Amino acid sequence: RDAKGAVKTLLMEDEKAEGAIGESYMHLQVSEQTSTKALSDIEGKLAQVLQDVRAAVEDWRTMRKTMVDVIDDLEKSPPKGQTKADLAEVCAFLRWIEDNHFTFLGYRQYDYAGTGKKLRMEVVEKSGLGIIRSPEVSVFDGLRDIGTLPDQVQGFLLDPTPLLVMKANKVSTVHRPVPLDSISVKRIDKSGKVVGEHRFIGLFTSVAYNQSPKEIPLLGRRVEKIVERAGFRPASHDGKALVNILETYPRDELFQASEDELFRISIGILHLQERQKTALFVRRDAFERFVTALVFVPRDHYNTQLRERFQAILATAFNGEVTSFYTQMSDSMLARLHFIIATTRGEIPDVDTSELEERLIDAGRSWADKLHDALVEDKGEEASQKLIRRYGRAFPTSYKEAYSAHAAIFDMERMEELAPGGKDSNTLGMNLFRPIGVDDDMLHLKLFHGGAPVPLSDVMPMLENMGVRVLSEVPFEIEGGGMEQPIWLHDFEMRLRGDTDCDLATIKAPFQEAFGAVWERRMENDGFNGLVLNAGMTWREVTVIRAYAKYLRQAAFTFSQDYMEETLLAYAPIARLLVKLFAARFDPAGEGGRDAAVDGLEDQIHAALDGVANLDQDRIL
């Protein structure tokens, strides 16, 4: 290349020339964009990434030397209030950091200037290195104005503890796109007051994440303190279990959490052990930027849908957004989910973690768990075990997605009523119901049939003649467990015809009895059956109306049966009076009382006829 960077010559691999350098190329292909501005934005971001890489590489050695200088200053001028052991541990950790366990990407020095509400961080001029060379580049949101921060956050920054390890808000543009790690070494004057800090930003290397905490300065001592605090002997079962919990603890949390927080959460996990239950452990960031949540759930229950439900519950509870999650699946009976919920300072609700844990437990319970609990509550322990053995594994996934465990109890009761038999069994179970939240003219009918599905060509005309329009049908095959044969469940979604208004509680039994009579061929399948819904009749009362119509047809009545069906359905109250009149004529009561009842009903019928305008219908009635 020439002095301006333009290529002069390309050499073969074995050729040599003065000033020649080896270069690697990246070829990037970008999908089609909606505008030239989008392409320009991509180009700008690529240029910024290259600039960050160049700055980090150029200043890398300087940042490492600065870290060594900071360690030397700590050892030469120990901060007031620090024991030799604690300071030695901090310095050992910083030397471990410098020894290729941390990728240095930026450095900056701060002075704490002002007092009270005007206390703020000021960047020391020309101290910036790497990706934060420019004073305008911020890695934390809203932390420079210390005096305006909540008291708890101020106390965390001004506490004379020399070391602070935390996550930055800025996402790394070098190596991997994750939030940057920040290591701050506080500058403390002779009186023990924090007057500034050295801040190194970068990323812990893979070795730092894979190495045992006991081999890492600071973390090793922290693990020892927690085990000692718990009162367990290191060689005991609980002592070993606690060490294993801390060994496998999310490494970022191990760096950032306080000893008290680690003790509380690790002991909670220890008490959980191998219990098959969902548990929640929460830690709030000292700067109120995020909340971390560890959720343990039975491994067999874990799936993507459950994780998404947990995310939604946690994000709502903390008024934030889940920005990342990590899943750990091991040989343990429990899976561990680690959620990071980004929050807004001053807007985090005061969450009752016990109540939140109960919500997660409910969301984490499988359908089978909920069915077992509902059965025990409804039937008792002994009776529920019989049903669980028979139906616990019988319901298909499609059924579980459509119905709750409580709804399944009603279906099991109907299936238990079915008479045992082979595939030719004609026994039919039924349940007419109206789901919560649907329109008043909507009904559902569940049919239960042993051995084989019911032929839709048989059922559909029966339902249509009952005065409904069938909108859809969903079949489910219930089989398994202790069942001798599969049971087919058909869920029919129906809408009432016309302006029919029916009270489900009143009409449910007559409708099911009538449909059963048609199915068993004890009742004819014709349009008169619509009077069950329209007039609230029983199937035997409909038979009376049908007998009237058959007699009239034999007497050479001029109107067809279809026309008579339509008319009687349109004037259901009069049809109901006709049935009452029939019953009154054959009332076994005394002759005087019977005649009075008949006369009264005839008067009601004639009064109703006065309101009929259509001549043909008048003649029929």
Side-chain angles (χ1 to χ4, degrees), residues 197-227:
E197 66 179 67
H198 301 278
R199 182 177 296 167
F200 298 87
I201 65 167
L203 298 170
F204 284 103
T205 64
S206 59
V207 176
Y209 284 99
N210 296 323
Q211 192 173 358
S212 169
K214 292 188 292 186
E215 300 173 1
I216 300 175
L218 202 69
L219 295 190
R221 179 57 184 151
R222 185 172 291 181
V223 170
E224 290 177 6
K225 285 183 177 180
I226 291 173
V227 175

PDB file of all heavy atoms in Angstrom, residues 197-227:
ATOM      1  N   GLU A 197     -12.420   7.341  41.266  1.00  0.00           N
ATOM      2  CA  GLU A 197     -12.294   5.910  40.958  1.00  0.00           C
ATOM      3  C   GLU A 197     -11.564   5.701  39.652  1.00  0.00           C
ATOM      4  O   GLU A 197     -11.518   6.577  38.776  1.00  0.00           O
ATOM      5  CB  GLU A 197     -13.669   5.242  40.893  1.00  0.00           C
ATOM      6  CG  GLU A 197     -14.542   5.708  39.758  1.00  0.00           C
ATOM      7  CD  GLU A 197     -15.889   4.985  39.723  1.00  0.00           C
ATOM      8  OE1 GLU A 197     -16.701   5.179  40.649  1.00  0.00           O
ATOM      9  OE2 GLU A 197     -16.105   4.233  38.753  1.00  0.00           O
ATOM     10  N   HIS A 198     -10.938   4.522  39.560  1.00  0.00           N
ATOM     11  CA  HIS A 198     -10.377   4.026  38.306  1.00  0.00           C
ATOM     12  C   HIS A 198     -11.381   3.011  37.761  1.00  0.00           C
ATOM     13  O   HIS A 198     -11.720   2.047  38.461  1.00  0.00           O
ATOM     14  CB  HIS A 198      -9.033   3.337  38.533  1.00  0.00           C
ATOM     15  CG  HIS A 198      -7.988   4.216  39.154  1.00  0.00           C
ATOM     16  ND1 HIS A 198      -7.234   5.099  38.420  1.00  0.00           N
ATOM     17  CD2 HIS A 198      -7.574   4.339  40.448  1.00  0.00           C
ATOM     18  CE1 HIS A 198      -6.386   5.728  39.216  1.00  0.00           C
ATOM     19  NE2 HIS A 198      -6.582   5.286  40.464  1.00  0.00           N
ATOM     20  N   ARG A 199     -11.857   3.218  36.559  1.00  0.00           N
ATOM     21  CA  ARG A 199     -12.866   2.302  36.013  1.00  0.00           C
ATOM     22  C   ARG A 199     -12.320   1.601  34.774  1.00  0.00           C
ATOM     23  O   ARG A 199     -11.962   2.242  33.775  1.00  0.00           O
ATOM     24  CB  ARG A 199     -14.149   3.044  35.661  1.00  0.00           C
ATOM     25  CG  ARG A 199     -15.253   2.138  35.136  1.00  0.00           C
ATOM     26  CD  ARG A 199     -16.515   2.913  34.865  1.00  0.00           C
ATOM     27  NE  ARG A 199     -17.066   3.481  36.098  1.00  0.00           N
ATOM     28  CZ  ARG A 199     -18.018   4.410  36.117  1.00  0.00           C
ATOM     29  NH1 ARG A 199     -18.495   4.882  34.979  1.00  0.00           N
ATOM     30  NH2 ARG A 199     -18.459   4.867  37.269  1.00  0.00           N
ATOM     31  N   PHE A 200     -12.257   0.280  34.839  1.00  0.00           N
ATOM     32  CA  PHE A 200     -11.843  -0.542  33.713  1.00  0.00           C
ATOM     33  C   PHE A 200     -13.083  -1.245  33.170  1.00  0.00           C
ATOM     34  O   PHE A 200     -13.855  -1.838  33.941  1.00  0.00           O
ATOM     35  CB  PHE A 200     -10.820  -1.591  34.148  1.00  0.00           C
ATOM     36  CG  PHE A 200      -9.541  -1.019  34.685  1.00  0.00           C
ATOM     37  CD1 PHE A 200      -9.429  -0.691  36.036  1.00  0.00           C
ATOM     38  CD2 PHE A 200      -8.454  -0.798  33.856  1.00  0.00           C
ATOM     39  CE1 PHE A 200      -8.249  -0.167  36.541  1.00  0.00           C
ATOM     40  CE2 PHE A 200      -7.266  -0.278  34.356  1.00  0.00           C
ATOM     41  CZ  PHE A 200      -7.166   0.043  35.698  1.00  0.00           C
ATOM     42  N   ILE A 201     -13.268  -1.201  31.885  1.00  0.00           N
ATOM     43  CA  ILE A 201     -14.391  -1.914  31.288  1.00  0.00           C
ATOM     44  C   ILE A 201     -13.872  -2.901  30.252  1.00  0.00           C
ATOM     45  O   ILE A 201     -12.821  -2.692  29.636  1.00  0.00           O
ATOM     46  CB  ILE A 201     -15.426  -0.963  30.648  1.00  0.00           C
ATOM     47  CG1 ILE A 201     -14.823  -0.211  29.466  1.00  0.00           C
ATOM     48  CG2 ILE A 201     -16.007  -0.011  31.666  1.00  0.00           C
ATOM     49  CD1 ILE A 201     -15.857   0.482  28.619  1.00  0.00           C
ATOM     50  N   GLY A 202     -14.597  -3.981  30.100  1.00  0.00           N
ATOM     51  CA  GLY A 202     -14.206  -5.016  29.148  1.00  0.00           C
ATOM     52  C   GLY A 202     -15.085  -6.228  29.334  1.00  0.00           C
ATOM     53  O   GLY A 202     -16.265  -6.115  29.699  1.00  0.00           O
ATOM     54  N   LEU A 203     -14.514  -7.410  29.133  1.00  0.00           N
ATOM     55  CA  LEU A 203     -15.269  -8.655  29.244  1.00  0.00           C
ATOM     56  C   LEU A 203     -14.415  -9.700  29.940  1.00  0.00           C
ATOM     57  O   LEU A 203     -13.224  -9.862  29.630  1.00  0.00           O
ATOM     58  CB  LEU A 203     -15.672  -9.172  27.860  1.00  0.00           C
ATOM     59  CG  LEU A 203     -16.593  -8.285  27.011  1.00  0.00           C
ATOM     60  CD1 LEU A 203     -16.682  -8.828  25.594  1.00  0.00           C
ATOM     61  CD2 LEU A 203     -17.970  -8.178  27.637  1.00  0.00           C
ATOM     62  N   PHE A 204     -15.008 -10.409  30.892  1.00  0.00           N
ATOM     63  CA  PHE A 204     -14.310 -11.544  31.469  1.00  0.00           C
ATOM     64  C   PHE A 204     -14.103 -12.595  30.387  1.00  0.00           C
ATOM     65  O   PHE A 204     -14.986 -12.835  29.546  1.00  0.00           O
ATOM     66  CB  PHE A 204     -15.116 -12.140  32.628  1.00  0.00           C
ATOM     67  CG  PHE A 204     -15.050 -11.337  33.894  1.00  0.00           C
ATOM     68  CD1 PHE A 204     -16.109 -10.533  34.285  1.00  0.00           C
ATOM     69  CD2 PHE A 204     -13.917 -11.384  34.702  1.00  0.00           C
ATOM     70  CE1 PHE A 204     -16.049  -9.790  35.446  1.00  0.00           C
ATOM     71  CE2 PHE A 204     -13.854 -10.645  35.869  1.00  0.00           C
ATOM     72  CZ  PHE A 204     -14.914  -9.835  36.246  1.00  0.00           C
ATOM     73  N   THR A 205     -12.968 -13.231  30.394  1.00  0.00           N
ATOM     74  CA  THR A 205     -12.667 -14.245  29.385  1.00  0.00           C
ATOM     75  C   THR A 205     -13.394 -15.543  29.706  1.00  0.00           C
ATOM     76  O   THR A 205     -13.916 -15.733  30.809  1.00  0.00           O
ATOM     77  CB  THR A 205     -11.155 -14.507  29.314  1.00  0.00           C
ATOM     78  OG1 THR A 205     -10.719 -15.055  30.563  1.00  0.00           O
ATOM     79  CG2 THR A 205     -10.385 -13.226  29.029  1.00  0.00           C
ATOM     80  N   SER A 206     -13.382 -16.467  28.758  1.00  0.00           N
ATOM     81  CA  SER A 206     -14.059 -17.752  28.962  1.00  0.00           C
ATOM     82  C   SER A 206     -13.431 -18.523  30.115  1.00  0.00           C
ATOM     83  O   SER A 206     -14.111 -19.264  30.828  1.00  0.00           O
ATOM     84  CB  SER A 206     -14.000 -18.578  27.678  1.00  0.00           C
ATOM     85  OG  SER A 206     -12.651 -18.802  27.283  1.00  0.00           O
ATOM     86  N   VAL A 207     -12.123 -18.345  30.319  1.00  0.00           N
ATOM     87  CA  VAL A 207     -11.452 -19.031  31.424  1.00  0.00           C
ATOM     88  C   VAL A 207     -12.032 -18.585  32.756  1.00  0.00           C
ATOM     89  O   VAL A 207     -12.242 -19.380  33.680  1.00  0.00           O
ATOM     90  CB  VAL A 207      -9.932 -18.753  31.383  1.00  0.00           C
ATOM     91  CG1 VAL A 207      -9.240 -19.392  32.588  1.00  0.00           C
ATOM     92  CG2 VAL A 207      -9.328 -19.269  30.089  1.00  0.00           C
ATOM     93  N   ALA A 208     -12.342 -17.285  32.869  1.00  0.00           N
ATOM     94  CA  ALA A 208     -12.905 -16.754  34.116  1.00  0.00           C
ATOM     95  C   ALA A 208     -14.263 -17.367  34.418  1.00  0.00           C
ATOM     96  O   ALA A 208     -14.646 -17.498  35.585  1.00  0.00           O
ATOM     97  CB  ALA A 208     -13.025 -15.233  34.020  1.00  0.00           C
ATOM     98  N   TYR A 209     -14.998 -17.751  33.377  1.00  0.00           N
ATOM     99  CA  TYR A 209     -16.325 -18.344  33.581  1.00  0.00           C
ATOM    100  C   TYR A 209     -16.246 -19.839  33.848  1.00  0.00           C
ATOM    101  O   TYR A 209     -17.139 -20.415  34.464  1.00  0.00           O
ATOM    102  CB  TYR A 209     -17.208 -18.082  32.362  1.00  0.00           C
ATOM    103  CG  TYR A 209     -17.725 -16.661  32.301  1.00  0.00           C
ATOM    104  CD1 TYR A 209     -17.114 -15.711  31.498  1.00  0.00           C
ATOM    105  CD2 TYR A 209     -18.817 -16.263  33.062  1.00  0.00           C
ATOM    106  CE1 TYR A 209     -17.579 -14.402  31.442  1.00  0.00           C
ATOM    107  CE2 TYR A 209     -19.295 -14.964  33.016  1.00  0.00           C
ATOM    108  CZ  TYR A 209     -18.671 -14.043  32.215  1.00  0.00           C
ATOM    109  OH  TYR A 209     -19.138 -12.746  32.177  1.00  0.00           O
ATOM    110  N   ASN A 210     -15.194 -20.477  33.368  1.00  0.00           N
ATOM    111  CA  ASN A 210     -15.095 -21.927  33.505  1.00  0.00           C
ATOM    112  C   ASN A 210     -14.237 -22.359  34.685  1.00  0.00           C
ATOM    113  O   ASN A 210     -14.304 -23.510  35.109  1.00  0.00           O
ATOM    114  CB  ASN A 210     -14.529 -22.536  32.214  1.00  0.00           C
ATOM    115  CG  ASN A 210     -15.468 -22.321  31.033  1.00  0.00           C
ATOM    116  OD1 ASN A 210     -16.681 -22.380  31.181  1.00  0.00           O
ATOM    117  ND2 ASN A 210     -14.905 -22.059  29.855  1.00  0.00           N
ATOM    118  N   GLN A 211     -13.418 -21.469  35.212  1.00  0.00           N
ATOM    119  CA  GLN A 211     -12.548 -21.810  36.322  1.00  0.00           C
ATOM    120  C   GLN A 211     -13.346 -21.907  37.617  1.00  0.00           C
ATOM    121  O   GLN A 211     -14.321 -21.180  37.822  1.00  0.00           O
ATOM    122  CB  GLN A 211     -11.455 -20.741  36.456  1.00  0.00           C
ATOM    123  CG  GLN A 211     -10.326 -21.110  37.392  1.00  0.00           C
ATOM    124  CD  GLN A 211      -9.201 -20.072  37.335  1.00  0.00           C
ATOM    125  OE1 GLN A 211      -9.269 -19.104  36.572  1.00  0.00           O
ATOM    126  NE2 GLN A 211      -8.169 -20.275  38.142  1.00  0.00           N
ATOM    127  N   SER A 212     -12.942 -22.812  38.486  1.00  0.00           N
ATOM    128  CA  SER A 212     -13.624 -22.979  39.765  1.00  0.00           C
ATOM    129  C   SER A 212     -13.517 -21.704  40.591  1.00  0.00           C
ATOM    130  O   SER A 212     -12.445 -21.090  40.660  1.00  0.00           O
ATOM    131  CB  SER A 212     -13.009 -24.144  40.540  1.00  0.00           C
ATOM    132  OG  SER A 212     -13.475 -24.160  41.873  1.00  0.00           O
ATOM    133  N   PRO A 213     -14.614 -21.270  41.231  1.00  0.00           N
ATOM    134  CA  PRO A 213     -14.552 -20.060  42.072  1.00  0.00           C
ATOM    135  C   PRO A 213     -13.498 -20.164  43.164  1.00  0.00           C
ATOM    136  O   PRO A 213     -12.915 -19.155  43.569  1.00  0.00           O
ATOM    137  CB  PRO A 213     -15.962 -19.982  42.665  1.00  0.00           C
ATOM    138  CG  PRO A 213     -16.829 -20.721  41.727  1.00  0.00           C
ATOM    139  CD  PRO A 213     -15.978 -21.817  41.171  1.00  0.00           C
ATOM    140  N   LYS A 214     -13.240 -21.389  43.643  1.00  0.00           N
ATOM    141  CA  LYS A 214     -12.249 -21.550  44.703  1.00  0.00           C
ATOM    142  C   LYS A 214     -10.840 -21.200  44.235  1.00  0.00           C
ATOM    143  O   LYS A 214      -9.963 -20.913  45.049  1.00  0.00           O
ATOM    144  CB  LYS A 214     -12.283 -22.990  45.229  1.00  0.00           C
ATOM    145  CG  LYS A 214     -13.564 -23.331  45.981  1.00  0.00           C
ATOM    146  CD  LYS A 214     -13.487 -24.684  46.657  1.00  0.00           C
ATOM    147  CE  LYS A 214     -13.445 -25.811  45.652  1.00  0.00           C
ATOM    148  NZ  LYS A 214     -13.510 -27.148  46.307  1.00  0.00           N
ATOM    149  N   GLU A 215     -10.623 -21.189  42.909  1.00  0.00           N
ATOM    150  CA  GLU A 215      -9.317 -20.867  42.356  1.00  0.00           C
ATOM    151  C   GLU A 215      -9.202 -19.401  41.961  1.00  0.00           C
ATOM    152  O   GLU A 215      -8.163 -18.970  41.466  1.00  0.00           O
ATOM    153  CB  GLU A 215      -9.039 -21.755  41.137  1.00  0.00           C
ATOM    154  CG  GLU A 215      -9.041 -23.248  41.459  1.00  0.00           C
ATOM    155  CD  GLU A 215      -8.937 -24.105  40.210  1.00  0.00           C
ATOM    156  OE1 GLU A 215      -8.839 -23.520  39.113  1.00  0.00           O
ATOM    157  OE2 GLU A 215      -8.955 -25.344  40.332  1.00  0.00           O
ATOM    158  N   ILE A 216     -10.281 -18.641  42.163  1.00  0.00           N
ATOM    159  CA  ILE A 216     -10.286 -17.229  41.790  1.00  0.00           C
ATOM    160  C   ILE A 216     -10.192 -16.384  43.057  1.00  0.00           C
ATOM    161  O   ILE A 216     -11.020 -16.540  43.957  1.00  0.00           O
ATOM    162  CB  ILE A 216     -11.576 -16.867  41.015  1.00  0.00           C
ATOM    163  CG1 ILE A 216     -11.676 -17.699  39.735  1.00  0.00           C
ATOM    164  CG2 ILE A 216     -11.608 -15.377  40.687  1.00  0.00           C
ATOM    165  CD1 ILE A 216     -12.973 -17.504  38.973  1.00  0.00           C
ATOM    166  N   PRO A 217      -9.188 -15.516  43.156  1.00  0.00           N
ATOM    167  CA  PRO A 217      -9.103 -14.654  44.329  1.00  0.00           C
ATOM    168  C   PRO A 217     -10.397 -13.878  44.521  1.00  0.00           C
ATOM    169  O   PRO A 217     -11.086 -13.541  43.567  1.00  0.00           O
ATOM    170  CB  PRO A 217      -7.935 -13.721  43.995  1.00  0.00           C
ATOM    171  CG  PRO A 217      -7.122 -14.470  42.992  1.00  0.00           C
ATOM    172  CD  PRO A 217      -8.110 -15.272  42.192  1.00  0.00           C
ATOM    173  N   LEU A 218     -10.732 -13.590  45.725  1.00  0.00           N
ATOM    174  CA  LEU A 218     -11.945 -12.887  46.124  1.00  0.00           C
ATOM    175  C   LEU A 218     -13.133 -13.835  46.148  1.00  0.00           C
ATOM    176  O   LEU A 218     -13.825 -13.955  47.152  1.00  0.00           O
ATOM    177  CB  LEU A 218     -12.243 -11.688  45.205  1.00  0.00           C
ATOM    178  CG  LEU A 218     -13.129 -10.598  45.787  1.00  0.00           C
ATOM    179  CD1 LEU A 218     -12.399  -9.852  46.885  1.00  0.00           C
ATOM    180  CD2 LEU A 218     -13.538  -9.610  44.698  1.00  0.00           C
ATOM    181  N   LEU A 219     -13.364 -14.564  45.015  1.00  0.00           N
ATOM    182  CA  LEU A 219     -14.490 -15.490  44.978  1.00  0.00           C
ATOM    183  C   LEU A 219     -14.243 -16.689  45.890  1.00  0.00           C
ATOM    184  O   LEU A 219     -15.158 -17.175  46.560  1.00  0.00           O
ATOM    185  CB  LEU A 219     -14.763 -15.963  43.547  1.00  0.00           C
ATOM    186  CG  LEU A 219     -15.217 -14.914  42.537  1.00  0.00           C
ATOM    187  CD1 LEU A 219     -15.673 -15.594  41.251  1.00  0.00           C
ATOM    188  CD2 LEU A 219     -16.323 -14.042  43.091  1.00  0.00           C
ATOM    189  N   GLY A 220     -12.984 -17.177  45.894  1.00  0.00           N
ATOM    190  CA  GLY A 220     -12.668 -18.318  46.746  1.00  0.00           C
ATOM    191  C   GLY A 220     -12.905 -18.001  48.212  1.00  0.00           C
ATOM    192  O   GLY A 220     -13.483 -18.811  48.950  1.00  0.00           O
ATOM    193  N   ARG A 221     -12.471 -16.824  48.646  1.00  0.00           N
ATOM    194  CA  ARG A 221     -12.674 -16.428  50.032  1.00  0.00           C
ATOM    195  C   ARG A 221     -14.159 -16.226  50.306  1.00  0.00           C
ATOM    196  O   ARG A 221     -14.649 -16.542  51.399  1.00  0.00           O
ATOM    197  CB  ARG A 221     -11.897 -15.127  50.308  1.00  0.00           C
ATOM    198  CG  ARG A 221     -12.037 -14.587  51.729  1.00  0.00           C
ATOM    199  CD  ARG A 221     -11.617 -15.611  52.745  1.00  0.00           C
ATOM    200  NE  ARG A 221     -11.833 -15.147  54.107  1.00  0.00           N
ATOM    201  CZ  ARG A 221     -12.093 -15.933  55.130  1.00  0.00           C
ATOM    202  NH1 ARG A 221     -12.182 -17.246  54.952  1.00  0.00           N
ATOM    203  NH2 ARG A 221     -12.270 -15.444  56.340  1.00  0.00           N
ATOM    204  N   ARG A 222     -14.889 -15.702  49.331  1.00  0.00           N
ATOM    205  CA  ARG A 222     -16.333 -15.491  49.507  1.00  0.00           C
ATOM    206  C   ARG A 222     -17.053 -16.817  49.701  1.00  0.00           C
ATOM    207  O   ARG A 222     -17.941 -16.937  50.549  1.00  0.00           O
ATOM    208  CB  ARG A 222     -16.883 -14.747  48.290  1.00  0.00           C
ATOM    209  CG  ARG A 222     -18.336 -14.374  48.395  1.00  0.00           C
ATOM    210  CD  ARG A 222     -18.743 -13.479  47.239  1.00  0.00           C
ATOM    211  NE  ARG A 222     -18.128 -12.155  47.341  1.00  0.00           N
ATOM    212  CZ  ARG A 222     -18.339 -11.171  46.464  1.00  0.00           C
ATOM    213  NH1 ARG A 222     -19.120 -11.381  45.424  1.00  0.00           N
ATOM    214  NH2 ARG A 222     -17.754 -10.004  46.623  1.00  0.00           N
ATOM    215  N   VAL A 223     -16.687 -17.841  48.935  1.00  0.00           N
ATOM    216  CA  VAL A 223     -17.287 -19.166  49.086  1.00  0.00           C
ATOM    217  C   VAL A 223     -16.990 -19.726  50.472  1.00  0.00           C
ATOM    218  O   VAL A 223     -17.876 -20.279  51.147  1.00  0.00           O
ATOM    219  CB  VAL A 223     -16.770 -20.121  47.985  1.00  0.00           C
ATOM    220  CG1 VAL A 223     -17.205 -21.554  48.274  1.00  0.00           C
ATOM    221  CG2 VAL A 223     -17.278 -19.677  46.617  1.00  0.00           C
ATOM    222  N   GLU A 224     -15.746 -19.585  50.923  1.00  0.00           N
ATOM    223  CA  GLU A 224     -15.371 -20.080  52.250  1.00  0.00           C
ATOM    224  C   GLU A 224     -16.185 -19.408  53.347  1.00  0.00           C
ATOM    225  O   GLU A 224     -16.664 -20.062  54.287  1.00  0.00           O
ATOM    226  CB  GLU A 224     -13.876 -19.830  52.486  1.00  0.00           C
ATOM    227  CG  GLU A 224     -12.957 -20.690  51.650  1.00  0.00           C
ATOM    228  CD  GLU A 224     -11.497 -20.335  51.876  1.00  0.00           C
ATOM    229  OE1 GLU A 224     -11.216 -19.506  52.774  1.00  0.00           O
ATOM    230  OE2 GLU A 224     -10.640 -20.881  51.166  1.00  0.00           O
ATOM    231  N   LYS A 225     -16.360 -18.099  53.245  1.00  0.00           N
ATOM    232  CA  LYS A 225     -17.112 -17.364  54.262  1.00  0.00           C
ATOM    233  C   LYS A 225     -18.571 -17.826  54.327  1.00  0.00           C
ATOM    234  O   LYS A 225     -19.140 -17.948  55.411  1.00  0.00           O
ATOM    235  CB  LYS A 225     -17.066 -15.861  53.967  1.00  0.00           C
ATOM    236  CG  LYS A 225     -15.745 -15.197  54.292  1.00  0.00           C
ATOM    237  CD  LYS A 225     -15.833 -13.700  54.045  1.00  0.00           C
ATOM    238  CE  LYS A 225     -14.548 -12.981  54.427  1.00  0.00           C
ATOM    239  NZ  LYS A 225     -14.647 -11.515  54.179  1.00  0.00           N
ATOM    240  N   ILE A 226     -19.164 -18.065  53.172  1.00  0.00           N
ATOM    241  CA  ILE A 226     -20.570 -18.484  53.142  1.00  0.00           C
ATOM    242  C   ILE A 226     -20.732 -19.866  53.773  1.00  0.00           C
ATOM    243  O   ILE A 226     -21.670 -20.112  54.543  1.00  0.00           O
ATOM    244  CB  ILE A 226     -21.108 -18.454  51.696  1.00  0.00           C
ATOM    245  CG1 ILE A 226     -21.209 -17.002  51.210  1.00  0.00           C
ATOM    246  CG2 ILE A 226     -22.469 -19.145  51.601  1.00  0.00           C
ATOM    247  CD1 ILE A 226     -21.561 -16.860  49.752  1.00  0.00           C
ATOM    248  N   VAL A 227     -19.798 -20.788  53.466  1.00  0.00           N
ATOM    249  CA  VAL A 227     -19.866 -22.136  54.051  1.00  0.00           C
ATOM    250  C   VAL A 227     -19.665 -22.055  55.561  1.00  0.00           C
ATOM    251  O   VAL A 227     -20.373 -22.718  56.337  1.00  0.00           O
ATOM    252  CB  VAL A 227     -18.823 -23.052  53.400  1.00  0.00           C
ATOM    253  CG1 VAL A 227     -18.811 -24.422  54.086  1.00  0.00           C
ATOM    254  CG2 VAL A 227     -19.109 -23.223  51.910  1.00  0.00           C
TER     255      VAL A 227
END
